[in-house]
Amino acid sequence: MSVQVAAPAVELKELSGPMDKAAGPPCEPVAAHPPGHGVAAAPCPLPATEREAAPASSASGGGERPPLSGCPGLSAATKVPQASAMKRSDPHHPQHRHRDGGDGGGPAAEALVSPDGTVTEAPRTVKKIQFADQKQEFNKRPTKIGRRSLSRSISQSSTDSYSSAASYTDSSDDETSPRDKQQKNSKGSSDFCVKNIKQAEFGRREIEIAEQEMPALMALRKRAQGEKPLAGAKIVGCTHITAQTAVLMETLGALGAQCRWAACNIYSTLNEVAAALAESGFPVFAWKGESEDDFWWCIDRCVNVEGWQPNMILDDGGDLTHWIYKKYPNMFKKIKGIVEESVTGVHRLYQLSKAGKLCVPAMNVNDSVTKQKFDNLYCCRESILDGLKRTTDMMFGGKQVVVCGYGEVGKGCCAALKAMGSIVYVTEIDPICALQACMDGFRLVKLNEVIRQVDIVITCTGNKNVVTREHLDRMKNSCIVCNMGHSNTEIDVASLRTPELTWERVRSQVDHVIWPDGKRIVLLAEGRLLNLSCSTVPTFVLSITATTQALALIELYNAPEGRYKQDVYLLPKKMDEYVASLHLPTFDAHLTELTDEQAKYLGLNKNGPFKPNYYRY
């Protein structure tokens, strides 16, 4: 007879390491400067609706805080919290074996008795694998939180994501709008609107993983939570809602702020992370695949709530700022400042300032060195390949690619594609960026010159109508078209929604647009931001950006009246250097210190800043 032995479950634990300490330098205001992003942006009027769509809230208390004399530093080494232990069951456990008593490969063996009494095992009869039966057995296995069906139809794939960013969504309620659901978290609160609050456990695990790759935010949380520099702050935010943004939100909460949040992109929200935030008590209004009406409804639910008046804005793209100006302009009487992190949003702020309509101070985080050089360059250098691979499964070697714009985003995209063996062309309007492209080994062209031959078109400009219907008509069959800039106006997608063209959904965020003669192009994310819509971005890079955002909020909120006028400001270089220093321990990196003689020779303070404001990194 056969004997079945169950193997023990394997327990996997995430380990954390120590974080070094670093002291924080004082922060000083820096005057505003005109926008310069490598590629000039076309006018972006305020009413424009295009956009590119990242614990319980603390009580306000405390009132106004005195101005900060310096950036919060780290007083002691700290450890990143461990992720929850995750158990993996053994596939050879008896409950996973075949129902006929065998080990899944066939029936149990029978015993044969020979005339001399010897007992031998009869040969097994090998059965053909029945795929349908196996699938049926798999689907019968119970799970605690919904199930992820492996037999999705084409129509289901249009709403489900095949990437690792996919939500753990129960397919039975995929078609139900979150606005039509009555959901409550474990504390009985219903002040949120997410896809499925039951996904919170999965989202919490993702947040815990992100915490391990965001050392500066965790260090800031540990150092400053005793001081509560954001006590009394009521922050309304509109960013991508991802695990990394969740770490930022929970850090702001630990520093004393109350937060309400919506998504700046209709495709970038991770449903399970939004559920985890809602379960923790954060009023979050976002889900993956919102409609245009849903998008503005979510923003309005964040802003327009009885008994709650925001006094700080954290925006990504300017849509939240625009909505408040349009619907609730009186709110700006109590708002102390705006922090904006995108090219598009910063451009809109400078337009407001130029027109004399900016009535509160604003921080331009996008042009901080730690944002521009790390998030825009290094993040895009890694995530462009990830987004293209997940959506198209393509091979890059030998492919002809045109990248529109050679700013920091374009530089990152070009470097990654060149390293993979692609033939890369660049379009550019700025002669300085154009010369950089030539010196880096790329051929500078006009889009019309190569549009018929390229295999991939990538926009990285922040402009509008960079790829027009005329360009789209001339593209070759199966050309891939995508956008890495924040605004969804770079590709003229609206011109493709005409009766003579057929749209065919291939998979989540991948569409074939088919011409009458049979030619088709592959459009990714409907012209919206590719990496956050179709894949994920490196957590460590987002740690740099999120830390910069948190420090900007602290600086604006605690600044004495009169320090900042109704204008757009840059963060001081000292703060950029401080953010960078918080991330160096991850690499076991050791900075060289100036001697007194060297510092005197260079005319520098030994503790920085080490470069003048006009220095170009």
Side-chain angles (χ1 to χ4, degrees), residues 142-390:
T143 57
K144 292 183 178 180
I145 302 180
R147 60 184 175 88
R148 301 181 73 182
S149 174
L150 298 184
S151 54
R152 291 171 171 153
S153 66
I154 295 297
S155 60
Q156 285 176 317
S157 70
S158 65
T159 55
D160 292 347
S161 173
Y162 286 89
S163 71
S164 64
S167 297
Y168 298 85
T169 305
D170 188 338
S171 58
S172 64
D173 64 354
D174 277 351
E175 302 303 320
T176 306
S177 170
R179 292 169 62 174
D180 298 329
K181 297 178 182 178
Q182 296 294 328
Q183 301 185 80
K184 291 185 178 181
N185 62 16
S186 60
K187 301 176 182 64
S189 173
S190 59
D191 188 18
F192 63 87
C193 190
V194 298
K195 183 69 174 179
N196 188 349
I197 190 64
K198 295 179 181 178
Q199 299 171 3
E201 182 182 351
F202 294 107
R204 178 50 53 189
R205 293 172 187 171
E206 293 192 27
I207 295 170
E208 289 170 346
I209 292 172
E211 287 176 348
Q212 299 177 59
E213 275 284 290
M214 305 187 81
L217 269 187
M218 300 305 293
L220 183 65
R221 185 187 301 185
K222 184 175 180 63
R223 169 65 180 87
Q225 64 182 354
E227 303 171 11
K228 300 290 184 186
L230 290 176
K234 296 182 178 180
I235 303 171
V236 59
C238 183
T239 66
H240 302 284
I241 296 184
T242 62
Q244 297 80 19
T245 305
V247 177
L248 170 61
M249 291 172 62
E250 293 185 344
T251 299
L252 297 177
L255 301 185
Q258 296 181 24
C259 301
R260 297 180 68 85
W261 229 263
C264 69
N265 183 308
I266 64 175
Y267 290 134
S268 65
T269 298
L270 298 185
N271 287 334
E272 60 272 21
V273 171
L277 288 169
E279 174 61 29
S280 297
F282 285 93
V284 174
F285 302 86
W287 59 92
K288 189 179 182 72
E290 298 170 3
S291 66
E292 189 79 11
D293 180 64
D294 292 334
F295 175 82
W296 295 113
W297 179 85
C298 288
I299 289 180
D300 192 71
R301 284 292 305 271
C302 280
V303 176
N304 184 22
V305 55
E306 187 176 353
W308 197 86
Q309 160 73 49
N311 53 25
M312 294 294 295
I313 294 174
L314 178 57
D315 211 351
D316 186 339
D319 288 311
L320 172 61
T321 303
H322 160 67
W323 187 256
I324 296 177
Y325 264 107
K326 179 182 177 182
K327 294 290 186 180
Y328 311 104
N330 289 333
M331 282 189 176
F332 280 102
K333 294 178 181 179
K334 294 186 178 180
I335 291 177
K336 301 190 67 172
I338 302 169
V339 174
E340 172 60 57
E341 72 146 343
S342 74
V343 173
T344 305
V346 165
H347 181 62
R348 296 169 81 171
L349 285 175
Y350 278 118
Q351 284 188 320
L352 284 173
S353 178
K354 187 176 180 179
K357 296 181 179 179
L358 185 62
C359 53
V360 295
M363 278 286 187
N364 169 8
V365 171
N366 178 74
D367 289 306
S368 299
V369 177
T370 45
K371 168 66 165 64
Q372 190 75 269
K373 287 293 180 181
F374 294 90
D375 195 332
N376 292 10
L377 176 61
Y378 298 116
C379 174
C380 294
R381 191 175 69 182
E382 296 197 18
S383 60
I384 178 63
L385 301 180
D386 188 18
L388 287 170
K389 280 285 190 183
R390 293 198 200 198

Side-chain angles (χ1 to χ4, degrees), residues 312-600:
M312 294 294 295
I313 294 174
L314 178 57
D315 211 351
D316 186 339
D319 288 311
L320 172 61
T321 303
H322 160 67
W323 187 256
I324 296 177
Y325 264 107
K326 179 182 177 182
K327 294 290 186 180
Y328 311 104
N330 289 333
M331 282 189 176
F332 280 102
K333 294 178 181 179
K334 294 186 178 180
I335 291 177
K336 301 190 67 172
I338 302 169
V339 174
E340 172 60 57
E341 72 146 343
S342 74
V343 173
T344 305
V346 165
H347 181 62
R348 296 169 81 171
L349 285 175
Y350 278 118
Q351 284 188 320
L352 284 173
S353 178
K354 187 176 180 179
K357 296 181 179 179
L358 185 62
C359 53
V360 295
M363 278 286 187
N364 169 8
V365 171
N366 178 74
D367 289 306
S368 299
V369 177
T370 45
K371 168 66 165 64
Q372 190 75 269
K373 287 293 180 181
F374 294 90
D375 195 332
N376 292 10
L377 176 61
Y378 298 116
C379 174
C380 294
R381 191 175 69 182
E382 296 197 18
S383 60
I384 178 63
L385 301 180
D386 188 18
L388 287 170
K389 280 285 190 183
R390 293 198 200 198
T391 50
T392 65
D393 304 314
M394 70 176 303
M395 186 171 183
F396 298 107
K399 293 294 193 301
Q400 296 191 59
V401 186
V402 59
V403 176
C404 302
Y406 203 67
E408 298 302 326
V409 174
K411 287 180 174 71
C413 292
C414 288
L417 292 163
K418 180 181 180 181
M420 295 300 292
S422 298
I423 302 166
V424 183
Y425 303 96
V426 171
T427 72
E428 182 54 75
I429 64 169
D430 185 327
I432 297 176
C433 292
L435 183 57
Q436 287 180 312
C438 293
M439 296 294 285
D440 288 337
F442 302 108
R443 184 181 170 193
L444 191 73
V445 298
K446 292 184 177 180
L447 188 56
N448 286 331
E449 298 171 1
V450 296
I451 196 63
R452 289 186 181 276
Q453 67 192 61
V454 294
D455 302 292
I456 310 173
V457 178
I458 304 171
T459 56
C460 311
T461 69
N463 208 330
K464 68 179 300 185
N465 293 335
V466 176
V467 177
T468 65
R469 175 59 188 271
E470 180 184 358
H471 295 128
L472 295 162
D473 286 338
R474 295 175 60 201
M475 288 177 184
K476 72 179 192 180
N477 187 47
S478 297
C479 182
I480 298 169
V481 186
C482 62
N483 171 43
M484 283 290 288
H486 179 88
S487 176
N488 66 332
T489 59
E490 299 196 39
I491 302 167
D492 188 9
V493 176
S495 68
L496 297 176
R497 301 188 185 279
T498 55
E500 72 271 14
L501 300 182
T502 302
W503 284 60
E504 180 180 82
R505 176 55 56 95
V506 181
R507 59 174 69 166
S508 179
Q509 315 310 323
V510 182
D511 291 289
H512 282 168
V513 183
I514 307 171
W515 270 249
D517 62 358
K519 185 200 88 169
R520 64 182 62 197
I521 66 167
V522 182
L523 180 64
L524 305 182
E526 297 183 23
R528 291 178 169 85
L529 190 59
L530 171 68
N531 53 4
L532 279 160
S533 296
C534 301
S535 62
T536 57
V537 293
T539 300
F540 186 80
V541 170
L542 291 186
S543 173
I544 300 172
T545 301
T547 305
T548 307
Q549 291 172 325
L551 293 177
L553 287 166
I554 293 172
E555 174 65 13
L556 273 181
Y557 181 69
N558 291 278
E561 189 173 352
R563 174 181 289 183
Y564 296 106
K565 310 297 181 183
Q566 296 173 354
D567 208 341
V568 184
Y569 291 82
L570 279 176
L571 285 174
K573 191 172 294 292
K574 187 75 172 175
M575 191 176 290
D576 272 326
E577 292 176 351
Y578 174 62
V579 172
S581 70
L582 290 178
H583 290 84
L584 288 176
T586 301
F587 304 99
D588 192 25
H590 306 278
L591 283 171
T592 300
E593 296 181 5
L594 290 173
T595 65
D596 292 336
E597 183 182 4
Q598 289 173 328
K600 183 178 180 181

Side-chain angles (χ1 to χ4, degrees), residues 6-23:
V10 179
E11 182 170 316
L12 304 178
K13 290 187 177 180
E14 295 291 341
L15 300 179
S16 60
M19 237 182 293
D20 293 350
K21 58 186 178 179

